[in-house]
C-alpha cells in the first residue's frame, strides 16, 4: 500500500513520479503489473492530474508501457535490458564525438568527473565515497551542451539503472567500472576521442553482459498480477 502524499510539496507530479519509480525499482510494483491512474491517485491522496503527468514521464523513459488506456510496468526480460543498452551505446558514442570539439581547457575539466583516491585502496564498500557512476555519464552528456542529447542519455541511463537493479543483481557502481571511467576521462583530456569511444563501448558492453549474467529468476514471482 502506498502512503498518501502531503500537498505542501512544491512539485507534486515530480513527487508522484519519484514514488512510482521507487515502487518499480523495489518491486512493490511488479514487472508486467497493471497500473491505474485513479487507483494510484486515491492511494497517494492526490488528483489524477499529477499521476497522469508522472505516467507520461515514466512512459517516456520506458518504465511504463501504454497500450490504449491500459498501462503496465515494463516487463522483466533480457531483451528489455539489451535494447535499452543498444540505444544507450549509440547516444553516449554521439556524446563523446561531440566532445571532440572542446578546447584543451574544456577537455582537462573532464578529469574532475573521475577523481578517485589511490585505486589500490578502493573496494566495493568504499567506492561510493569516491565515485558516482551516474554523475560521470550524465556530466559527459551535459558537456556536449546539447539539451536533447543530455535528456535522452539521462532517460536511458535511468532506465538501464532500474532494469539492472530490479531484474539483475549487477550494479554499475563497482571499482572496475570506476577505474574504466577514470581511463575514459584521461583519454578525453588528452584529446584521444577515438580511443575513449572504443573504451566506452567496451565498458557499456561489459556492464550489459554482467547484468545479463546476473538476471533474477522470474519463475518464483507472479510478474503479471495487478497491484494497483
Amino acid at each position: 500500500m502506498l502512503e498518501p502524499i502531503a500537498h505542501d510539496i512544491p512539485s507534486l507530479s515530480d513527487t508522484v513520479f519519484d514514488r512510482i519509480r521507487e515502487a518499480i525499482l523495489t518491486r512493490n510494483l511488479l514487472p508486467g503489473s497493471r497500473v491505474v491512474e485513479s487507483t494510484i491517485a486515491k492511494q497517494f491522496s492526490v488528483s489524477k492530474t499529477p499521476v497522469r503527468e508522472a505516467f507520461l514521464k515514466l512512459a517516456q523513459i520506458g518504465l511504463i508501457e501504454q497500450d490504449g488506456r491500459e498501462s503496465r510496468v515494463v516487463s522483466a526480460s533480457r531483451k528489455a535490458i539489451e535494447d535499452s543498452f543498444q540505444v544507450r551505446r549509440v547516444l553516449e558514442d554521439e556524446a563523446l564525438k561531440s566532445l571532440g570539439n572542446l578546447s584543451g581547457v574544456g577537455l582537462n575539466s573532464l578529469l574532475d568527473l573521475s577523481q578517485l583516491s589511490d585505486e589500490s585502496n578502493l573496494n566495493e564498500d568504499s567506492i561510493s565515497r569516491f565515485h558516482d557512476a551516474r554523475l560521470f555519464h550524465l556530466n559527459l552528456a551535459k558537456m556536449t551542451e546539447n539539451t536533447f542529447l543530455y535528456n535522452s542519455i539521462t532517460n536511458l541511463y535511468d532506465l538501464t539503472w532500474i532494469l539492472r537493479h530490479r531484474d539483475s543483481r549487477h550494479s554499475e557502481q563497482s571499482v572496475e567500472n570506476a577505474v574504466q571511467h577514470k581511463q575514459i576521462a584521461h583519454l578525453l583530456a588528452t584529446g584521444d576521442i577515438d580511443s575513449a569511444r572504443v573504451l566506452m563501448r567496451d565498458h557499456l558492453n561489459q556492464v550489459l553482459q554482467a547484468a545479463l549474467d546476473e538476471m533474477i529468476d522470474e519463475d518464483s514471482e507472479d510478474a503479471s498480477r495487478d497491484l494497483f
Side-chain angles (χ1 to χ4, degrees):
M1 177 66 69
L2 302 179
E3 298 295 328
I5 294 175
H7 285 259
D8 59 348
I9 296 174
S11 179
L12 197 55
S13 63
D14 287 345
T15 302
V16 172
F17 167 82
D18 289 339
R19 293 280 291 275
I20 299 175
R21 179 182 181 276
E22 180 66 17
I24 292 173
L25 172 62
T26 58
R27 290 175 169 252
N28 191 14
L29 283 170
L30 286 176
S33 61
R34 187 166 62 97
V35 285
V36 181
E37 285 182 10
S38 59
T39 306
I40 290 182
K42 182 177 180 180
Q43 293 195 7
F44 282 158
S45 295
V46 299
S47 70
K48 289 196 294 186
T49 299
V51 177
R52 185 175 301 113
E53 292 172 350
F55 272 28
L56 289 173
K57 186 175 180 181
L58 289 162
Q60 180 184 26
I61 293 175
L63 293 176
I64 283 182
E65 301 169 326
Q66 295 179 314
D67 183 10
R69 294 185 176 182
E70 187 172 90
S71 298
R72 289 187 177 274
V73 176
V74 61
S75 298
S77 70
R78 294 175 64 90
K79 186 176 185 334
I81 294 180
E82 289 174 330
D83 288 351
S84 60
F85 265 91
Q86 179 182 12
V87 179
R88 187 176 158 193
R89 281 195 300 266
V90 172
L91 292 177
E92 295 211 37
D93 185 62
E94 186 61 36
L96 293 190
K97 285 194 295 184
S98 299
L99 294 180
N101 298 322
L102 291 177
S103 65
V105 175
L107 287 172
N108 283 331
S109 67
L110 289 170
L111 293 176
D112 295 335
L113 303 180
S114 60
Q115 290 302 315
L116 302 171
S117 69
D118 184 357
E119 294 167 12
S120 63
N121 294 324
L122 289 177
N123 55 55
E124 299 296 336
D125 294 329
S126 66
I127 187 63
S128 61
R129 290 188 288 132
F130 301 106
H131 188 66
D132 186 325
R134 184 177 188 273
L135 188 61
F136 173 79
H137 286 275
L138 298 194
N139 277 347
L140 282 181
K142 190 174 184 179
M143 291 188 71
T144 67
E145 298 184 349
N146 183 327
T147 301
F148 296 103
L149 183 59
Y150 171 75
N151 289 337
S152 296
I153 289 176
T154 299
N155 288 341
L156 259 297
Y157 186 94
D158 288 347
L159 175 61
T160 58
W161 188 87
I162 286 183
L163 291 178
R164 286 201 318 275
H165 286 72
R166 187 195 69 174
D167 304 331
S168 170
R169 296 178 179 85
H170 176 69
S171 171
E172 190 173 350
Q173 195 76 313
S174 68
V175 173
E176 179 183 4
N177 291 328
V179 171
Q180 289 177 343
H181 291 166
K182 185 174 185 178
Q183 293 169 345
I184 291 170
H186 274 283
L187 288 170
L188 291 170
T190 59
D192 192 351
I193 304 298
D194 290 339
S195 294
R197 291 171 61 195
V198 171
L199 183 54
M200 179 66 84
R201 287 195 294 270
D202 290 343
H203 165 65
L204 293 178
N205 285 336
Q206 290 175 27
V207 174
L208 168 60
Q209 190 56 55
L212 294 176
D213 289 343
E214 299 180 39
M215 285 283 288
I216 297 172
D217 184 7
E218 290 293 326
D219 292 340
S220 61
E221 297 191 38
D222 179 8
S224 63
R225 69 184 176 93
D226 297 340
L227 295 183
F228 300 96

